[in-house]
């Protein structure tokens, strides 16, 4: 994977590739806003609202066949 980031070679050379470690990601409910009020990217007007993002999360989940997530409604 490091070869895909040649522009970062000077940074990446500090990391060993002898062993690759992963951590189990925490479970998130991407159908709920992370907090009340505007989200950071909504304040920055980056072209997507929280509601749109949650809709896309449902669509992606459906497309990836995660029916238990995609069956929930995020449009409320």
């Amino acid at each position: 994977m490091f070869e895909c980031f040649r522009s970062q070679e000077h940074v990446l050379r500090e990391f060993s590739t002898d062993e690759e470690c992963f951590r189990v990601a925490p479970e998130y409910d991407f159908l709920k806003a992370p907090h009340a009020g505007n989200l950071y990217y909504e304040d920055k007007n980056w072209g997507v609202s929280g509601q749109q993002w949650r809709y896309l999360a449902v669509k992606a989940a459906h497309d990836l066949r995660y029916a238990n997530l995609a069956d929930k409604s995020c449009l409320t």
Side-chain angles (χ1 to χ4, degrees):
M1 181 180 356
F2 279 22
E3 291 179 11
C4 294
F5 298 96
R6 294 235 182 254
S7 66
Q8 298 299 311
E9 185 177 0
H10 65 285
V11 174
L12 296 175
R13 78 170 63 118
E14 302 297 322
F15 295 90
S16 171
T17 57
D18 295 338
E19 182 180 353
E20 190 169 11
C21 299
F22 294 93
R23 67 175 177 86
V24 176
E27 287 204 24
Y28 293 108
D29 185 351
F30 290 106
L31 305 184
K32 294 181 182 175
H35 56 77
N38 284 352
L39 301 172
Y40 181 79
Y41 54 85
E42 290 174 318
D43 286 338
K44 298 299 180 186
N45 196 22
W46 288 344
V48 66
S49 70
Q51 185 176 10
Q52 290 168 318
W53 195 97
R54 290 187 298 277
Y55 169 81
L56 293 172
V58 170
K59 183 178 180 329
H62 181 267
D63 291 349
L64 294 170
R65 302 190 195 288
Y66 289 123
N68 64 330
L69 178 63
D71 287 345
K72 296 179 182 178
S73 172
C74 68
L75 303 178
T76 58

